[in-house]
Amino acid sequence: LELSPAEVVEEIKASGLVGRGGAAFPAGLKWEGTAKAAGRPKYVVCNGDEAEPGAFKDRVLMEEDPHRVLEGLIIAARAVGANKGYVFVRAEYPHALRVLAHAVNDARGSGLLGPNVFGSGFDFDVELRRGAGAYICGEETALFEAIEGGRGFPRVKPPFPTTCGLFGRPTAINNVETLCNVPLILARGAAEYRRIGTGKSPGPKLFCVSGDVARPGLYE
């Protein structure tokens, strides 16, 4: 809150954070595009529809550190000028949804969500949505269709979500792991964040290890 929204966007851009959902699109550019897009309201969306075989990193984050997920979403909302956010959780993750629901209530009670967050004049709240078991809803525009109450089916691009996303409004959508990197970047700074990872993909990365292996699990 001590930084302006534009300064938050610049810090994310400087960090080099790319999407952890597979496409590896620069998160800062996505946020910048949403922030500069004409039209209101604007939305932020957390994609928790993790359905790839052998993938469970987002489930672990939602279940074990839900407040980090929410904090990343809150920071994204302030950066792009959104007052409403959605967390879309796949149907097969009922425990993650329960944990997130408790975290949302805790955040509201602590003044992190709701009107006038920490007396800053910034209003923001979150709504949780549960998927219906459709693998295709992991695709961002199909996820929008599902939130809007329609059939989960991808839209033709362009237009892109940054200008015409959820409910036809500018929208920044990131997956769970991407958003969980955001508080780390703001706390440590972009330069510190870039000390690990690779040139084109800085920062930590989670890997799911399963199958015929000695020590299955989630590794950073």
Side-chain angles (χ1 to χ4, degrees), residues 117-201:
V117 172
F118 280 178
S120 64
F122 168 55
D123 303 332
F124 181 68
D125 212 340
V126 169
E127 186 173 327
L128 302 179
R129 290 293 180 92
R130 182 181 178 181
Y135 172 81
I136 194 61
C137 285
E139 196 279 330
E140 57 189 18
T141 61
L143 186 151
F144 296 155
E145 291 288 330
I147 291 178
E148 292 173 14
R151 176 189 175 204
F153 195 79
R155 300 173 182 172
V156 175
K157 299 178 188 178
F160 295 100
T162 51
T163 57
C164 185
L166 188 62
F167 302 112
R169 301 297 183 179
T171 304
I173 178 169
N174 300 103
N175 88 317
V176 172
E177 187 187 356
T178 308
L179 289 170
C180 283
N181 275 261
V182 170
L184 175 65
I185 293 166
L186 271 292
R188 303 280 184 90
E192 182 70 18
Y193 183 80
R194 294 191 75 109
R195 289 183 61 187
I196 61 173
T198 68
K200 292 184 178 180
S201 184

